[in-house]
Amino acid sequence: MSFSDYLKQFDFLKFVPLIENSTAADVEKIVEKRSIDIYDFAVLLSNSAERFLPALAAKARSYTIRRFGKTMSFYAPLYLSNECDNLCVYCGYHNARRIERVTLSLEQVRSEVQKIKEIGFDSILLLTGESPKKADVNYIKDCVKIAKEYFTYVALEVYPMSSENYQTLSEAGASGLTVYQETYDKEVYKKMHLKGAKSDYQYRLDTPERAFIGGLRKVGIGALLGLSDWRYEALHLALHIDYLRKKYWRQEVSLSFPRINPVTSSFKIPNPVTDKEMIHLISVMRIYLDDVPFFISTRERADFRDKLVELAVTHISAGSKTTPGGYAIKTEAQGQFDVSDKRELKEMISIIRTKGYDPVIKDWDVNFMGVFGDYNG
Ligand code: SF4
């Protein structure tokens, strides 16, 4: 059964009144519950739940500490290439924009990786735009191998591939993949992705599954917040995670909360998500998914990230550069989005410690790989 088949088991008409018409009394009953189902989750997404935000946030915080302790894991993104064949209207890298395009040579990748290691990271996320010709699987594989010489944990955020290609990358040393559906709303998806392989909604939707089949150990999903109604994105994300966790129970699913931070001023965000709504979303997600790692990037402002750290986030980036070669080589290439929180790793670690959290630099899970057998099949 695919995720699309799984979704068919649910009558979406049942969710609409729960999200749109639930009353404060409906919400109050659910706030008291110890664990919630997907219908309760829909009620907690309603407007009426907003007045319970302090209670929801307190619950989310206590669930996070109970499951993860007071810890915060750090990672660094490294953009390998800003070449892209797609036209996603919200993105600074899209194909119709005349910007300097760069794909790092393997030598440059090594310099970048060495620099990031020197800064103090042990987890790295390798990113590309979506141009399989300019950054093919063999190139990505070689980059993974270089990164693996320095880092315990190597993850990818690259164009969707076949499970065979994911297997190649997994064998080269990659452990994780991040792939955002961007929006689960098919109509909005069509309007936002005008050209290139990414216009294929279904192929993207099935990507997390192909990554797991290919042997990657961790897959992170997310919706680009601001494209469509965040409440319906949240519902689909929760169902997607439920599906993946039931089927690939030996692997790990995580969730990111990317909020649009466009480079192009001409793009008008269709459904802006406020800070308050972000806190609502993340709190309710944590109450429903109490053991799923949550990621937040430097798209968010420093003061807001500090709040989220104490709410439910478990993994953050720091000192991120969104240009290929941004750490050591300093190319003139443009970034994918503007980094809001510019604080470096050292500063972030000291802030985390002040809040009573332990920074986690090394991913110890990698040491257990193989102990529990092959993830494939
Ligand atoms: S969002 Fe990704 S696929 Fe779309 S234009 Fe930007 S880099 Fe390319």
Side-chain angles (χ1 to χ4, degrees):
M1 181 198 286
S2 69
F3 174 51
S4 302
D5 295 330
Y6 179 76
L7 280 184
K8 285 181 196 147
Q9 297 177 347
F10 297 90
D11 177 0
F12 272 77
L13 290 178
K14 272 193 191 165
F15 288 119
V16 175
L18 296 177
I19 292 179
E20 295 184 2
N21 305 329
S22 288
T23 63
D26 298 329
V27 176
E28 198 167 14
K29 272 186 235 152
I30 291 163
V31 173
E32 302 298 318
K33 286 190 177 178
R34 210 176 143 69
S35 68
I36 60 171
D37 65 20
I38 193 71
Y39 298 99
D40 297 333
F41 173 77
V43 173
L44 293 186
L45 292 173
S46 67
N47 277 335
S48 299
E50 261 182 27
R51 78 163 79 155
F52 296 88
L53 214 46
L56 294 173
K59 200 164 189 173
R61 179 175 148 76
S62 79
Y63 282 16
T64 307
I65 294 174
R66 187 180 67 194
R67 170 63 181 83
F68 297 94
K70 288 184 94 177
T71 62
M72 191 56 54
S73 297
F74 286 92
Y75 70 96
L78 169 59
Y79 281 76
L80 303 171
S81 170
N82 64 357
E83 296 279 358
C84 192
D85 304 337
N86 293 324
L87 207 169
C88 310
V89 296
Y90 47 82
C91 176
Y93 281 179
H94 77 58
N95 179 270
R97 291 197 76 221
R98 288 177 183 273
I99 57 166
E100 186 178 337
R101 302 283 174 178
V102 175
T103 298
L104 299 180
S105 68
L106 295 181
E107 208 175 307
Q108 289 174 320
V109 171
R110 187 174 293 280
S111 304
E112 290 289 298
V113 155
Q114 283 170 337
K115 180 72 188 175
I116 295 169
K117 185 71 187 183
E118 264 169 45
I119 295 169
F121 290 98
D122 194 40
S123 287
I124 193 166
L125 176 67
L126 304 178
L127 301 95
T128 62
E130 300 201 5
S131 181
K133 277 192 202 134
K134 300 279 173 40
D136 66 14
V137 177
N138 283 328
Y139 167 77
I140 298 171
K141 180 182 77 181
D142 290 342
C143 294
V144 168
K145 283 185 175 167
I146 293 170
K148 196 61 193 165
E149 288 176 38
Y150 300 86
F151 291 87
T152 308
Y153 182 74
V154 179
L156 300 165
E157 191 173 328
V158 297
Y159 48 88
M161 297 177 181
S162 64
S163 41
E164 290 74 23
N165 282 341
Y166 286 128
Q167 188 172 349
T168 301
L169 297 174
S170 163
E171 285 165 3
S175 301
L177 178 81
T178 299
V179 58
Y180 302 145
Q181 183 59 27
E182 316 294 17
T183 174
Y184 286 83
D185 180 328
K186 283 187 187 163
E187 285 310 307
V188 176
Y189 190 93
K190 213 170 165 184
K191 284 185 200 150
M192 294 293 149
H193 304 102
L194 303 181
K195 202 183 125 194
K198 195 168 172 180
S199 359
D200 189 338
Y201 175 97
Q202 192 61 43
Y203 190 69
R204 196 167 189 91
L205 192 66
D206 294 332
T207 304
E209 188 152 10
R210 289 196 306 278
F212 278 146
I213 293 168
L216 290 168
R217 188 167 54 92
K218 300 186 181 190
V219 174
I221 66 169
L224 188 56
L225 300 166
L227 293 185
S228 191
D229 185 321
W230 65 269
R231 293 179 167 85
Y232 288 93
E233 302 289 21
L235 183 64
H236 283 87
L237 283 166
L239 289 168
H240 203 168
I241 290 181
D242 282 347
Y243 166 77
L244 291 169
R245 295 211 306 173
K246 276 180 195 150
K247 195 160 174 187
Y248 301 96
W249 56 271
R250 286 185 295 178
Q251 286 140 293
E252 181 182 286
V253 190
S254 62
L255 183 56
S256 296
F257 299 91
R259 182 162 54 161
I260 302 184
N261 190 359
V263 165
T264 50
S265 54
S266 56
F267 179 69
K268 193 172 173 310
I269 300 172
N271 287 282
V273 181
T274 64
D275 286 359
K276 194 174 172 191
E277 288 168 333
M278 281 286 279
I279 289 175
H280 187 168
L281 163 68
I282 295 173
S283 300
V284 174
M285 278 294 193
R286 171 57 74 222
I287 293 169
Y288 184 62
L289 303 164
D290 63 345
D291 58 351
V292 169
F294 285 0
F295 284 65
I296 202 88
S297 79
T298 49
R299 290 167 187 260
E300 298 298 337
R301 303 180 322 273
D303 63 313
F304 191 55
R305 288 219 309 165
D306 288 353
K307 271 192 196 148
L308 298 182
V309 159
E310 292 182 282
L311 179 67
V313 165
T314 57
H315 291 66
I316 52 174
S317 49
S320 300
K321 312 286 181 275
T322 64
T323 53
Y327 296 89
I329 299 166
K330 315 280 186 200
T331 62
E332 295 297 308
Q334 185 190 296
Q336 188 184 26
F337 58 85
D338 284 336
V339 171
S340 295
D341 183 354
K342 296 193 167 50
R343 293 172 297 178
E344 296 294 339
L345 179 65
K346 254 191 187 166
E347 188 184 352
M348 283 304 299
I349 287 180
S350 107
I351 289 165
I352 292 292
R353 287 209 168 110
T354 316
K355 290 176 181 293
Y357 282 71
D358 284 330
V360 178
I361 301 295
K362 192 176 172 72
D363 180 355
W364 290 99
D365 287 3
V366 174
N367 298 314
F368 299 112
M369 281 177 76
V371 173
F372 301 115
D374 192 348
Y375 291 110
N376 250 328

